[in-house]
Amino acid sequence: TRVTSNNMWCFASHATLGFGGGGGGFAIGMDETLEVGVSRPCATYGTTASLLGDGREDFPIEVVQVWGFHLRW
């Protein structure tokens, strides 16, 4: 049986970049400014609280590193 109720492990739009989903929001998410991050419980990774561990959900982002690959066939 294929599970389709929890398939949002990565999401990107002009306003949001998020990893993990379902339930309360993204396990790790960033807003469009890439200056504010969020961590909330999510079904994808089975987290029941923010990954920050101190009850906070929002945090300032200091650095964003992005990698890309180009394949030639």
Side-chain angles (χ1 to χ4, degrees):
T1 304
R2 182 174 175 209
V3 177
T4 59
S5 62
N6 183 28
N7 59 3
M8 188 67 74
W9 61 274
C10 183
F11 175 81
S13 73
H14 293 294
T16 304
L17 177 62
F19 299 92
F26 297 118
I28 295 288
M30 293 177 256
D31 72 354
E32 68 274 3
T33 67
L34 301 180
E35 295 176 352
V36 178
V38 65
S39 176
R40 295 199 170 95
C42 85
T44 301
Y45 304 123
T47 57
T48 58
S50 167
L51 296 177
L52 301 175
D54 59 4
R56 293 179 303 133
E57 292 186 342
D58 297 338
F59 59 92
I61 296 175
E62 295 181 18
V63 175
V64 175
Q65 183 177 27
V66 178
W67 289 64
F69 298 94
H70 177 77
L71 299 176
R72 289 187 164 197
W73 299 97

